Amino acid sequence: MLEKLTDATNAFAQKLARFQKSGSELPKRKTEDEILQEKIDANESARKQSVAKSYKIYKDPFGALGKASDRARAIYEDEQNLLKAYKLFKSVKEAAESKSDRDTFVSSFEIESPLTKKNAYTFGGSLIYLICWLKFEEGVGDYLPVFEESEKSYRLKFVPASDYRFDFSDSDLISMVKEIFY
């Protein structure tokens, strides 16, 4: 038993002597802050990949999902419906500004759209991807689409972009989309 202990001690001493001659340093242990930062970086990287994967579908639905994909067709139609609603809004706004006077004017109007009936946009959080598509692909930056709850349904409205404040997660998502794709 003593012989085995001596052999082990000698083997360790030889390894230590070789290590010291090599000039290498012992690997440093990571601090809790470094470990936490690595986890944060990994989560951020995973989130960026998820955002990129999701937005790629909105940027090019048929390219991402295939020409025969029903989902691609639905997303494309949603994008076209949003663009139509925006153009209608802008047309009414421009007509109201140019044709109105102080006695005769448009006080309000509502836009009906199939988008207001889709849970993915009203509840699911996918509206932000349509907003990114409208902003980056169509170059619309003056107004943003928003949903307003009215009784037990939703209405599509457009608000001045300069007046609208996104929550942090949506603002972060827009920044990621811009960084990754544009």
Side-chain angles (χ1 to χ4, degrees):
M1 174 85 155
L2 185 58
E3 192 176 300
K4 287 184 181 181
L5 183 57
T6 305
D7 290 344
T9 304
N10 288 338
F12 177 73
Q14 287 174 351
K15 285 182 181 181
L16 183 58
R18 281 194 306 260
F19 178 76
Q20 287 174 337
K21 284 181 185 177
S22 72
S24 298
E25 293 183 22
L26 289 172
K28 291 184 179 179
R29 288 190 144 176
K30 292 181 181 176
T31 65
E32 287 184 35
D33 287 344
E34 290 171 328
I35 293 169
L36 181 60
Q37 187 60 49
E38 285 179 358
K39 287 180 181 180
I40 290 170
D41 293 344
N43 285 341
E44 184 69 13
S45 177
R47 185 163 186 267
K48 277 186 177 182
Q49 288 176 353
S50 175
V51 166
K53 183 180 177 184
S54 295
Y55 183 67
K56 185 177 182 182
I57 294 169
Y58 284 85
K59 186 175 185 332
D60 182 14
F62 294 108
L65 299 172
K67 296 206 182 287
S69 169
D70 290 337
R71 183 171 177 221
R73 182 165 317 292
I75 289 171
Y76 175 79
E77 288 172 3
D78 292 344
E79 291 169 343
Q80 297 311 304
N81 284 329
L82 180 60
L83 190 58
K84 280 185 231 174
Y86 170 75
K87 288 179 179 179
L88 177 62
F89 166 78
K90 285 292 284 192
S91 295
V92 170
K93 185 154 185 63
E94 289 169 5
E97 288 173 0
S98 66
K99 308 262 189 247
S100 297
D101 61 27
R102 63 172 243 227
D103 296 324
T104 306
F105 56 91
V106 175
S107 64
S108 69
F109 70 96
E110 293 181 351
I111 297 173
E112 292 291 329
S113 173
L115 296 174
T116 62
K117 294 167 182 56
K118 292 194 171 188
N119 287 338
Y121 301 120
T122 58
F123 292 114
S126 294
L127 180 62
I128 192 66
Y129 291 105
L130 280 179
I131 290 171
C132 287
W133 173 83
L134 190 65
K135 178 179 176 133
F136 296 121
E137 291 296 311
E138 296 299 318
V140 173
D142 53 351
Y143 288 91
L144 294 171
V146 295
F147 288 120
E148 184 178 83
E149 195 168 358
S150 172
E151 295 174 18
K152 292 186 179 182
S153 63
Y154 286 89
R155 298 278 181 223
L156 179 62
K157 289 182 60 175
F158 288 88
V159 296
S162 59
D163 295 345
Y164 190 79
R165 297 292 168 248
F166 289 101
D167 66 23
F168 176 76
S169 63
D170 285 347
S171 180
D172 191 39
L173 189 142
I174 293 168
S175 295
M176 281 185 200
V177 166
K178 186 175 182 180
E179 175 188 329
I180 295 167
F181 292 96
Y182 304 99

